[in-house]
Amino acid sequence: MFKKFTTTTTLAFAACFAALAQEPVNNAAVQKIRTEGLEKSKAMEIAYKITDVAGPRLSNSPGLKRAQDWAVKYFNEIGLKNVHLEAWGDFGKGWQVDKYYAATTKPFYRPIIGYPKAWTPGTNGPIKSEVILIKADTVTDLNKYKGKLAGKIVMIESVAIQPLKNSYTPDVVRYTDEKLAEMAAQQPATEGQGNRPQRSGNNQMAMMMRMRQNRAAINEMLLQENVGLILTYARGSYGTFFTSNGASYALDAKPVSPELEISAEDYLHVLRLLRGGEKVEIEADVKTSFYNEDPKGYNVVGEIPGTDPKLKSEIVMIGGHFDSWHAGTGATDNAAGSTVMIEAMRILKAIDFKPKRTIRIALWSSEEQGLFGSRGYVKQHFADPATMTVKPEHEKLSAYYNLDNGTGTIRGIYLQGNAAVKDIFQSWLNPFEDLGAKTITIGNTGGTDHLAFDAVGLPGFQFIQDPMDYNTRTHHSNQDTYDRLVEDDLKKSATIVASFVYHTSERAQKIPRKEMPKPAPARQ
């Protein structure tokens, strides 16, 4: 005969089942992590070494190698195991700027804010030249410049270059409660939805194609004419400029002309003078170096070994890309993310955490050229997205956590479409609501290394971060320096990451996975 349950008994059982269903949080461990991360932080010391000491960290450059050597040494100092540089494949040649100077000397002296484009040669000593404005709408128009440009400094006329406009929005912003609520309310994408770029009209596409072909023809002519230096308009304003790639890093890359990207204000100043019929003279001295002795790309890897006999072969991974662009010192992109992940490992070692699963950190290289470091690592260890043939380690990974959106503190996490982890992550965020981290969004975010894991069906996640001045002022710019880092934000982020890693390591099961994706053959 069944026993009759009272209302009180039923409620008690319901409460017990609810407690069992809720993802557990070790509050004592969280408190240890908070104390170490918020009160004893080494984040700014780490960031200083990566930025001010190592300098710009363009792929395969001496600066990146300095940073990688320091990371290996530091990982060993804090007690990580299996510390090593791991090659992911061939990248190409490294490059760095050894010297840069440029200024207008006529109609008056004025230093120019700018920097050489990546992987372009120098001027082979000081040069001084009247600036020549190239006006060529067709390839035929180039004939009038032949034999007149050797050693000259040139600019290229373009209707795309427009006067600057003032900005009336703040450079530095944090997410409002309303914006976070909007992100939390986002619905899962359905078949056919997503952030697909809008196709341009046929006329616009044809015009863009003609412009690219014309510019390629101009560049080829300038190289044949042995031009002294090309001045290029850099995106940005208020003295900030956003740098870009100027040439191929392949070992067999075709030669190009020396090229400077200069601030919009300086470029427009010279352009107005030339359009007004004034003579402009510029002097410059640019020296760059190429490095092709070792074309391989490397990631920095280290571990806290697992201790549970049944779980220690399983892995929890964290990471961020270590490479940067070259006009600044790559502070917010991505010394910030690398610092947070290194500091998270230091926190876990400092509290003498003995994880059940192995915790592995990877500092990726060549993210800026196409997520090469993380994609190479995933292909070697887990699976090839082109075939989806998985390797034994694929089953062993619980989750990968990434950080790469500037100095802004963590406000939550993107689920990357993985609804099964929502309640898990919400429980893990609850202890940090006082730090402003509470938002879970089903949405995807792209452009960084968690995508390499997601592409082969592994749980890969990027945290939501306050935007700060990442997109307005520092991302790939000459202002991306140590001074743009916010210490309190780095402390908070490292503390939250350390707690996520702790709980991922200790939970009974690995993090739930989405359905395995279909093979995605590489584009030709």
Side-chain angles (χ1 to χ4, degrees), residues 104-120:
T104 57
T105 52
K106 289 183 180 179
F108 54 88
Y109 179 85
R110 187 168 185 257
I112 291 174
I113 298 172
Y115 219 56
K117 273 196 170 185
W119 286 286
T120 59

Side-chain angles (χ1 to χ4, degrees), residues 93 95 116-123 215-216 218-230 245-250 252-260 288 290:
K93 55 191 173 185
W95 177 91
K117 273 196 170 185
W119 286 286
T120 59
T123 56
R215 181 57 193 264
I218 291 174
N219 287 343
E220 181 64 27
M221 183 270 292
L222 295 178
L223 182 64
Q224 293 175 357
E225 291 293 303
N226 197 27
V227 69
L229 185 63
I230 302 171
N245 190 26
S248 171
Y249 44 78
D252 59 352
K254 295 180 179 180
V256 297
S257 302
E259 188 169 355
L260 288 184
T288 65
F290 294 85

Side-chain angles (χ1 to χ4, degrees), residues 132-194:
I132 297 176
L133 184 61
I134 304 292
K135 299 180 181 181
D137 295 325
T138 66
V139 175
T140 305
D141 293 339
L142 297 176
N143 292 330
K144 60 188 175 185
Y145 296 103
K146 288 185 176 180
K148 302 177 182 179
L149 300 179
K152 300 296 185 182
I153 297 174
V154 303
M155 296 172 67
I156 300 168
E157 179 71 272
S158 172
V159 294
I161 299 172
Q162 298 294 322
L164 292 175
K165 295 181 180 180
N166 289 328
S167 172
Y168 298 100
T169 57
D171 274 355
V172 184
V173 295
R174 293 192 184 274
Y175 281 131
T176 62
D177 288 341
E178 291 76 15
K179 179 61 179 177
L180 291 171
E182 179 185 322
M183 296 171 73
Q186 184 176 346
Q187 296 299 309
T190 58
E191 189 81 27
Q193 289 183 331

